[in-house]
Amino acid sequence: MKKRIMVTGGCGYIGSHTVVALIENGFEVLILDDLSNSNKEVLDRIKTITGTRPKLLEVDLKNSFLCDNMFCYNKNIEAVIHFAAHKAVSESVEKPLMYYHNNLYALINVLVAMEKYNINNFIFSSSATVYGNPEILPITEQNKTQRPFSPYGNTKKVAEEIIADITNSNKDFTAISLRYFNPIGAHDSGQLGELPNGIPNNLMPYITQTAVGVRETLSVFGNDYPTKDGTPIRDYIHVIDLAEAHVIAVQRLLENKQETSFETFNLGTGNGYSVLEIINTFQKVINQKINYTITERRPGDVPILYSDIAFAKEKLGWVAKRNLENMISTAWKWEQNYRQEQN
């Protein structure tokens, strides 16, 4: 009997790649998604890659009654991986209440249902933004979390505090929070990748859409940061490496290998690249110039974030395997394939 994993937001970018990794590692997957920033066609793409079409239940997890029903009528859930959240930094600055409402209500409803139906293994999709503007680099898990610069980031910090309180109050409940740095790239097949609705908020899809001609020019938000070229530095990680870390985290909980009831791990490569370095590397990899303009800073961005990867390597036995060129080439392959499909 395959172990059944519930994945909220499983049609999204990171969620869908994690679903693929779970299926390839012998798990049965049940997806909960409201499709507010994703598409049902992802299910066909997952089937093309894995041979299995996961079950999707379309549901708004902010609705406590509907959320409860999802758990009540779907039994034998071994663990929940919670991706479902809004994630655009700048949009959260403009619409903070929408972010607090969506990200925290959904989380709380899922956790309430898990306690009610005695599901005690939880993986939380978190973010390096919980470290705020770090005083010490690279960032280790021992870095203190700070008030993030954006409401989006703060929903992740508050969410972790809620999860910590639950693990303290319920001796049977265990959780792992995976703090991502900057996921980019796509599945090697070119069948699955990042496809945001509307104008991208993340760098790589903005670059690939500009290169393919969907966008006229790429906006670089600020070149006056205290970095080597003035643009923000981030730790970019391949989405497949990230997906594989979720499988390892699930297995860790199911095999009762966690050392504390609530563990946190940074998921990155340990290398920081500036926005301009990403653009220049992209142009080199695809042998094509792309148009970009320098604009004002974007609200909520911090100058530098990159990870110390030692803890995840030691405790999870996980390290990112794919380099920047692979991240870029797979993202470009996905973009080209998708646009060809639309023609």
Side-chain angles (χ1 to χ4, degrees), residues 313-324:
K313 181 178 181 180
E314 176 190 353
K315 300 298 182 181
L316 297 179
W318 173 90
V319 290
K321 302 171 185 173
R322 296 158 179 85
N323 62 22
L324 181 60

Side-chain angles (χ1 to χ4, degrees), residues 99-118:
Y99 271 67
Y100 287 115
H101 183 244
N102 184 77
N103 292 7
L104 296 180
Y105 270 58
L107 170 73
I108 291 168
N109 288 339
V110 167
L111 292 172
V112 167
M114 288 181 68
E115 281 207 320
K116 181 177 178 180
Y117 296 102
N118 198 33

Side-chain angles (χ1 to χ4, degrees), residues 200-213:
N201 287 288
N202 295 334
L203 177 61
M204 187 53 64
Y206 211 137
I207 290 175
T208 58
Q209 288 187 18
T210 303
V212 85

Side-chain angles (χ1 to χ4, degrees), residues 46-98:
I46 293 171
K47 184 178 179 180
T48 297
I49 295 167
T50 67
T52 300
R53 182 185 177 91
K55 183 179 180 181
L56 167 67
L57 297 173
E58 192 173 342
V59 60
D60 181 355
L61 294 172
K62 296 191 301 296
N63 185 312
S64 58
F65 175 76
L66 295 178
C67 181
D68 183 272
N69 278 353
M70 295 301 102
F71 286 81
C72 180
Y73 293 106
N74 292 281
K75 306 297 185 183
N76 303 317
I77 302 297
E78 298 280 350
V80 175
I81 305 178
H82 185 63
F83 292 103
H86 294 330
K87 63 175 186 174
V89 169
S90 57
E91 182 183 54
S92 78
V93 174
E94 297 168 3
K95 302 174 181 178
L97 286 177
M98 182 177 81

Side-chain angles (χ1 to χ4, degrees), residues 6 14-16 22 44 58 109 140 156 178 193 208 211 221 227 235 246 269 271 299 308 315 341:
M6 178 183 285
I14 304 170
S16 60
L22 287 166
D44 295 327
E58 192 173 342
N109 288 339
T140 73
K156 296 297 185 182
L178 300 176
T208 58
F221 298 108
T227 62
D235 187 338
H246 286 78
T269 64
N271 299 308
D308 184 315
K315 300 298 182 181
E341 289 173 6

